[in-house]
Each structure stands twice: as structure tokens, then as C-alpha cells.
Amino acid sequence: MKLTDYFNVLLEDTVNLGQVKLDSLDSRVEAVYKALKADEQIGHLILGKTPQGSWAHKTIINPVGSNEFDADFMLDMSENADWSDDPKKYIEEVYAALHRHSTYGNMPHSRKCRCVRLVYANSMHLDIVPRLNLADGREVIVNRDDNAWELTDPQGFTDWMKSKDALAKGNLRKVIRLMKYLRDHKNSFTGTRSILLTTLLGEQVTELRTLLDPGYYSDVPTTLLHLVKDLDAWLQARPTKPSIPDPSGSGVTFDHRWEQSTYSYFRDRIRVHAAEIEEAHEEEDKERSIELWQGIFGDGFKAPATSSSSAKFPAAAPAAASTVGRSGRAG
């Protein structure tokens, strides 16, 4: 059975990141941005900020237990001619700015391949990703390990995500959250990065499906069933790890995000989940269907309480392209 109202409870009470945490994320990003903007050495290079990854796509979920959740934001920077042959300098200088700050210098912070990470104890961490529009027209981020530029189009990816979600009647984002929950809380297909999961599920959403069956993405359980089954069919036809291009059209791929062994494990687990989801969805006895869904998602899959609670992902107001609003990681 569908049990759509049970899925609503699962999402709102168990899977979705709560509004208090989202508000805290907004305020912390704003504070970090102001601190970097005020830095005497790099402040003049900073142009703006934009949400990135699961935060921007509204697919961020509650972390496991007391683990911290993570979020990314792009730090838009202008070119410094003195660093033209040394791209990693942008990451180094953002790190240095945090290091000399009176507050953030005393918090755990580190340099990663493409970002600077700032950790809030027992709460969350921020990944700050320098992004530039170079004079030659390229939009890039930094690969610190290779000391090289990488092409990127985060807004293009977000726009692609929005178009796919609209085609799926707003249910794609919810299905991605549910599948991330299976990965993180149920230890299924561990090692598969969120950017890959989002891309692979999003690519299963097609207009042809809606033309052949207008109800193909009619609600969360129906969309979950169809997307996981369609993904399973796609994966089973590809035993060898396929190339996964960035759907934004940036020209890069996400192939470096996993190995053949990780792909094979993901492929096997999606096969299992497709069968489990179909069994639970098609079961006509309500109690048995609830039992099957709970076998997949746990005790958070339950009937609604008599009084409804507010949604954790309210409708978002439009956000300016270069600012982080109150509306909403590269995984």
C-alpha cells in the first residue's frame, strides 16, 4: 500500500533536517561570510556567497545520532593576478583568514581538496568552496591536491535539479532524502556520494514517463517505487562502472567520486531495495504493508498524530543568485 500519510510523518519527524538547524545554518554562514569579508587581506576579493550541494537542492537530512551535519557554500571571489599560476592559494588564504580570526581561529578548521572546513562541535561543519569566474570565461573551483582549476556550474546543477523535481511533482527531492536516509541511517550502499545519488535518481525522471502515465510521479511512495525500479534497471544493464557526467553541462564527470567496488555494491543494494519497495508498495494488507515499510525505513514510518506538526521544509522564497537567503553539501 502507498500509505502516503505515513511517508509524510517519516519525512517530517525523522528524515528532514529540522527548521531550527536550518536557521542555525543560515545564521552561521552569514557570520562566517561577514568575517571573511571583513578580513584585511582577502576581504576585497570576496564578491558574494551561494548555497551549494544538498543545502541548495533541499535534500539535506538529519545526521545519524549525535553526528554533525554538513553544508557547503560557494565563496565567490575575484581573481588575484599574483595567484594565477597557483590556484590552491585561494584555499590557503581562506584558511589563513579563518585561522587569524578571533572566533574561528579557535575552532577546528582544515584545508580539504576543494574547500576549507570549519567545524562546530557536536553540531555541524561548513565546507567553504572558493569559486571564481576567470577572465577567459571559465567558471571554476580549486583542486588543491592537483593545484589546478576545475570547471563547475553549481547554478546549472541546481537549475537541473529544480526542473527534474518539478517534472516529478516535487517528489524527487523527497525520494532523494529517503534514499540518503537508507544510506546513512541503515548503512546501505555506504560510500556512494550524495552528488552521485542525486544525479542518478534525477536522471531517471523523464517527461516520457509522464506522457505514458500521468500518475507516474503522483506522490512520494509511487515516485519512490518508480525511481528506484528505473534506477535498478539502468544499473543492471551496466555491470561496469559507467561515466556519470555533470548534468549541468559543465563538461566534467563525477567518475572520480567512486571506484568499481563502490559502484558494484551500490548496484547490488539498489537491486535489493527495488524488490523490497515493490513488495511493500504492492501489499494489499495494511498491517503487513506497514511492517514491510518499517523493515526498510524503521520505526519512524508510522501513522500521523492527531494534531499535525509544521513542515520542516516550508515553501522557499526566491533567493538572490549571489546571496544565501533563509530558504535553504556537495555530496
Side-chain angles (χ1 to χ4, degrees):
M1 299 182 71
K2 290 184 178 183
L3 301 172
T4 304
D5 51 348
Y6 283 61
F7 273 99
N8 291 338
V9 173
L10 174 66
L11 284 162
E12 293 176 8
D13 293 351
T14 303
V15 175
N16 295 348
L17 190 68
Q19 191 60 49
V20 171
K21 290 180 179 179
L22 287 170
D23 289 344
S24 176
L25 171 59
D26 280 343
S27 62
R28 285 172 170 175
V29 167
E30 184 64 27
V32 169
Y33 175 76
K34 286 182 177 178
L36 293 173
K37 186 72 174 173
D39 184 79
E40 292 184 356
Q41 295 191 34
I42 67 167
H44 66 286
L45 296 174
I46 295 174
L47 304 175
K49 63 187 185 304
T50 53
Q52 163 69 356
S54 59
W55 183 24
H57 308 150
K58 290 188 176 294
T59 59
I60 195 168
I61 66 168
N62 263 322
V64 178
S66 60
N67 291 349
E68 62 194 36
F69 70 93
D70 64 282
D72 305 357
F73 74 92
M74 292 286 191
L75 185 68
D76 300 317
M77 302 182 71
S78 58
E79 279 189 87
N80 183 326
D82 294 337
W83 305 345
S84 59
D85 295 326
D86 191 18
K88 72 177 186 296
K89 187 73 170 176
Y90 291 88
I91 287 179
E92 302 289 350
E93 290 299 325
V94 171
Y95 172 84
L98 290 179
H99 195 70
R100 56 180 167 259
H101 189 268
S102 59
T103 297
Y104 303 123
N106 295 315
M107 295 168 57
H109 53 288
S110 59
R111 290 157 289 193
K112 302 297 182 179
C113 179
R114 298 171 180 85
C115 68
V116 177
R117 178 166 295 177
L118 178 65
V119 179
Y120 294 78
N122 303 314
S123 175
M124 61 173 287
H125 69 253
L126 288 177
D127 286 342
I128 306 164
V129 185
R131 177 181 65 177
L132 294 85
N133 286 296
L134 301 179
D136 61 12
R138 290 179 295 161
E139 184 177 0
V140 297
I141 58 175
V142 175
N143 183 317
R144 177 172 168 265
D145 293 347
D146 296 339
N147 197 18
W149 302 118
E150 285 188 359
L151 294 174
T152 189
D153 185 2
Q155 187 58 51
F157 192 99
T158 298
D159 291 343
W160 169 84
M161 178 69 190
K162 287 180 179 178
S163 68
K164 291 289 187 175
D165 191 52
L167 193 57
K169 300 181 180 179
N171 293 312
L172 171 60
R173 284 188 170 97
K174 297 173 184 177
V175 167
I176 291 171
R177 287 183 223 143
L178 289 169
M179 295 304 290
K180 289 173 70 172
Y181 178 79
L182 278 184
R183 179 196 62 189
D184 297 351
H185 292 255
K186 299 299 181 180
N187 294 315
S188 187
F189 53 90
T190 53
T192 298
R193 303 291 295 271
S194 294
I195 188 68
L196 289 163
L197 183 62
T198 297
T199 301
L200 289 170
L201 286 169
E203 290 288 23
Q204 306 312 310
V205 179
T206 67
E207 188 174 5
L208 178 60
R209 293 291 193 183
T210 64
L211 293 175
L212 296 174
D213 179 1
Y216 203 75
Y217 308 119
S218 59
D219 50 52
V220 172
T222 300
T223 305
L224 174 67
L225 172 69
H226 289 151
L227 290 187
V228 176
K229 285 187 65 178
D230 290 346
L231 177 57
D232 175 49
W234 190 89
L235 294 170
Q236 292 307 310
R238 296 163 175 82
T240 302
K241 186 187 79 166
S243 181
I244 310 296
D246 178 357
S248 73
S250 67
V252 302
T253 73
F254 301 136
D255 300 354
H256 60 286
R257 299 299 183 99
W258 55 2
E259 303 296 332
Q260 177 64 41
S261 59
T262 310
Y263 171 76
S264 296
Y265 179 55
F266 175 73
R267 181 173 176 266
D268 291 344
R269 293 305 300 158
I270 293 298
R271 185 71 164 172
V272 170
H273 290 315
E276 292 174 336
I277 290 167
E278 184 172 26
E279 183 182 9
H281 187 276
E282 299 304 316
E283 175 58 55
E284 295 182 358
D285 179 80
K286 183 176 181 179
E287 294 307 313
R288 176 57 179 160
S289 182
I290 292 172
E291 181 182 332
L292 291 169
W293 283 123
Q294 288 179 338
I296 302 170
F297 293 109
D299 294 339
F301 188 88
K302 57 188 178 182
T306 53
S307 59
S308 60
S309 59
S310 59
K312 292 185 179 180
F313 279 86
S322 61
T323 60
V324 179
R326 299 190 67 80
S327 59
R329 138 194 188 255

